[in-house]
Amino acid sequence: MSIRFTAKARRGMAALSVVAGLALGVAGCSGGDGEDKKPESSTSASEASGSQPSAQEGQAETPLAEVKGSNGLLLQITSAERDAGGFVTVNGNLKNDGAKSVAIPASLSGNETEIIRNGRSLGGATLVDSQGKKRYYVLRDTDGRPLTTTGLSTIRSGESVAVFMQFPAPPANTTEVTFQLPTFASAPISISG
């Protein structure tokens, strides 16, 4: 029993290390989301006063796709990059465009028991390759945790949260896929890399 406990603890630490590494990688490659939050909150103020948008505001206005969900939620997909390891990482911002705080719907986690057991996440996201006629689901670690932003609960009005999702990569010749997330509209996106 001691060996089993030790092995399980090691797998848990390895999975935690992978998830932490991915989170740091996403944060490092995303252009400093912490720096972008202040200009985003002042975007509406600058638009209302008629001032010219800053360079950061211009970047926020050109996502790969923008999909609307229930209760005023808006997902802006900022990148979809193919990694050398055979993965596609989709980055974006989940924003509350509504007038009230919104609890993140449990349906965004999908309906698979293994993913639901790990809390609220974007585990229900998929990429659809219509050319290859395949659907790609969010990857999971060895303990069944989705390789996506987790721990989502409530987003206040006007607030934005940086999110990521990691999928198996479609064939190298596939550059266009359709992104789907429960309760959100579907959107075509281009994979770079």
Side-chain angles (χ1 to χ4, degrees):
M1 188 162 166
S2 176
I3 293 172
R4 198 177 300 158
F5 177 77
T6 303
K8 188 172 183 179
R10 284 183 183 162
R11 280 195 312 264
M13 290 302 294
L16 181 61
S17 298
V18 169
V19 171
L22 287 172
L24 287 173
V26 167
C29 294
S30 66
D33 284 334
E35 297 171 7
D36 293 340
K37 287 186 180 181
K38 288 182 183 177
E40 282 182 4
S41 63
S42 65
T43 300
S44 60
S46 65
E47 287 174 357
S49 64
S51 67
Q52 297 295 329
S54 70
Q56 289 179 340
E57 287 176 358
Q59 290 174 357
E61 293 175 12
T62 57
L64 289 178
E66 218 173 69
V67 290
K68 293 185 179 189
S70 60
N71 300 325
L73 289 176
L74 176 71
L75 177 62
Q76 295 174 325
I77 299 172
T78 56
S79 68
E81 297 179 8
R82 189 183 304 270
D83 300 333
F87 309 113
V88 170
T89 303
V90 176
N91 295 301
N93 294 304
L94 184 61
K95 184 176 181 182
N96 178 359
D97 267 352
K100 298 179 181 178
S101 292
V102 173
I104 300 300
S107 60
L108 296 185
S109 298
N111 57 7
E112 294 182 38
T113 307
E114 194 171 281
I115 291 180
I116 293 171
R117 190 176 18 202
N118 290 293
R120 299 241 169 121
S121 69
L122 300 177
T126 59
L127 295 180
V128 177
D129 173 10
S130 58
Q131 181 182 16
K133 297 183 176 155
K134 289 190 178 182
R135 179 181 305 267
Y136 298 92
Y137 293 89
V138 169
L139 291 169
R140 296 165 191 92
D141 66 11
T142 56
D143 290 328
R145 292 184 294 257
L147 296 181
T148 180
T149 305
T150 58
L152 300 170
S153 59
T154 303
I155 300 180
R156 289 180 283 185
S157 178
E159 191 175 66
S160 182
V161 177
V163 296
F164 81 97
M165 294 145 278
Q166 196 167 43
F167 302 90
N173 62 345
T174 302
T175 57
E176 296 288 325
V177 292
T178 301
F179 175 82
Q180 296 178 335
L181 183 64
T183 75
F184 283 76
S186 297
I189 59 173
S190 297
I191 299 173
S192 61

